[in-house]
Amino acid sequence: MPDFSDITKRIKKLTYDTVIETGFAPKVDQIADEIKISKDEVKSSLHDLEGGIIVALQNKAHENIDTFMGEELPGDTVLPQIGEIFYARPFSNFKNHQRVYVNDQQKWYAECSLEATSLSNFFPGKEVIVRSVCAHTKEPVELIQKDGILLDYKPKALMIFVGLPLRKWLSDGDLIAPCDNNRIFASTDAYYEWIKCHRDIRGCLIHPIEANRMIRMIAYGRTRFDYRLRLPLLRFIVQYPTMGLTKTFLGIPLFFNTYWLPGLSLIKNMMKYKYRPFIEIRLL
């Protein structure tokens, strides 16, 4: 599989360094000035990072949104302009309802409910709390973590909802859209009440511990300079039932849920929109 160029790796590091320091990602102009390259070179590298599911870039569909995953954006939210970084995964590049606290300091925002379960690797040794709201009841919810491990969550019935099948993640070339329907629910009951009014949305409910395990496996080493999404095949085959990737019958996980298979449509769209498969496939 292809690897990122050294320039692209430098841009990735600069992006995350800036997010950790300020809460927000740098703009294309800032990156070009810092790395001493042209804006076109920056945009080319950001396109590769987007294909590697590391960043997502602002597009016309999200240029003027006033809600984010069903919640109104804060009044002082400034959205990125088209072509600028929208997500530096697992962080959002604008204010939203998923606030990230590190040792009681808050200047970061989570990208989506799934990623929110495992972003503490960016703050080694520190307790990280993501505070959000239930998509139905609007009661407060919390995800408490440290060094990549989800330590606790409140309320205890909390569930993560992922609303778009993997095979549709690049529909219309939009790599922001996969998160649009993701939600956090205070309980399974809250989800079932919510879905009565959202019949057009189909997805998977995942236990927060399962979501944390999934992100930890595929995004292990995310803070590394040379990081790529990874798929350790043997570990995945053995451990996938612990990551919410199964279909169940009478509460018993029986087989792999095809919801999580990429499908030909995703592969075709990657080629159509000129994304290369930046993924690290290994045995362990």
Side-chain angles (χ1 to χ4, degrees):
M1 294 293 180
D3 195 3
F4 294 120
S5 69
D6 286 343
I7 290 291
T8 300
K9 292 175 184 177
R10 289 175 62 193
I11 290 173
K12 170 188 167 288
K13 183 179 186 303
L14 173 63
T15 296
Y16 282 122
D17 286 348
T18 306
V19 170
I20 299 308
E21 180 181 353
T22 69
F24 299 99
K27 294 183 178 180
V28 169
D29 285 349
Q30 294 173 273
I31 296 171
D33 289 344
E34 180 72 23
I35 306 291
K36 307 301 183 187
I37 57 176
S38 70
K39 289 192 288 186
D40 285 343
E41 289 175 291
V42 173
K43 291 175 182 178
S44 177
S45 285
L46 289 177
H47 181 79
D48 281 348
L49 290 173
E50 187 172 43
I53 319 299
I54 291 176
V55 305
L57 303 180
Q58 176 64 295
N59 55 40
K60 290 183 178 180
H62 297 82
E63 183 181 15
N64 297 306
I65 58 173
D66 53 16
T67 62
F68 179 67
M69 299 182 195
E71 303 296 331
E72 289 189 8
L73 289 170
D76 59 347
T77 295
V78 178
L79 292 169
Q81 295 182 347
I82 290 178
E84 299 287 354
I85 296 172
F86 192 85
Y87 297 139
R89 305 177 192 273
F91 300 99
S92 165
N93 195 27
F94 55 92
K95 295 182 179 180
N96 61 58
H97 62 289
Q98 299 184 135
R99 293 176 172 83
V100 178
Y101 293 78
V102 181
N103 289 351
D104 294 326
Q105 182 183 26
Q106 197 281 310
K107 57 182 176 181
W108 306 273
Y109 298 84
E111 164 207 344
C112 78
S113 54
L114 186 63
E115 291 274 17
T117 64
S118 185
L119 49 72
S120 54
N121 275 329
F122 285 90
F123 307 96
K126 298 180 180 180
E127 182 179 83
V128 177
I129 302 176
V130 179
R131 294 191 171 108
S132 186
V133 295
C134 170
H136 179 66
T137 66
K138 307 306 178 186
E139 65 185 281
V141 298
E142 289 188 355
L143 298 162
I144 303 162
Q145 50 200 274
K146 186 176 182 180
D147 294 328
I149 307 295
L150 186 62
L151 302 176
D152 200 2
Y153 46 91
K154 301 175 184 178
K156 289 300 184 183
L158 185 149
M159 295 293 286
I160 306 296
F161 175 75
V162 182
L164 193 67
L166 183 57
R167 63 184 178 275
K168 295 184 179 180
W169 276 24
L170 200 52
S171 299
D172 301 320
D174 189 345
L175 274 170
I176 295 174
C179 293
D180 286 348
N181 290 324
N182 293 357
R183 303 283 193 275
I184 300 179
F185 289 96
S187 66
T188 302
D189 288 344
Y191 162 73
Y192 283 122
E193 287 300 314
W194 177 83
I195 203 66
K196 290 178 182 177
C197 299
H198 299 84
R199 298 290 186 184
D200 57 322
I201 300 177
R202 290 290 181 269
C204 287
L205 271 184
I206 305 178
H207 190 280
I209 294 293
E210 294 176 332
N212 174 251
R213 289 172 181 154
M214 182 199 307
I215 298 299
R216 280 165 49 202
M217 175 170 285
I218 64 175
Y220 174 80
R222 203 177 220 166
T223 56
R224 294 194 327 252
F225 179 73
D226 60 346
Y227 164 78
R228 288 182 292 168
L229 279 175
R230 71 168 193 163
L231 181 60
L233 293 175
L234 294 181
R235 286 185 57 202
F236 180 81
I237 291 169
V238 172
Q239 297 180 23
Y240 83 85
T242 70
M243 297 183 286
L245 302 179
T246 58
K247 276 200 170 183
T248 61
F249 179 72
L250 299 177
I252 302 172
L254 295 179
F255 49 85
F256 188 82
N257 189 345
T258 56
Y259 184 89
W260 296 103
L261 289 176
L264 288 176
S265 59
L266 178 59
I267 296 170
K268 289 178 179 178
N269 282 333
M270 286 190 69
M271 297 173 64
K272 177 181 177 181
Y273 295 106
K274 300 181 180 179
Y275 289 113
R276 292 189 288 164
F278 292 100
I279 185 169
E280 183 181 355
I281 299 178
R282 2 178 350 168
L283 287 178
L284 295 174

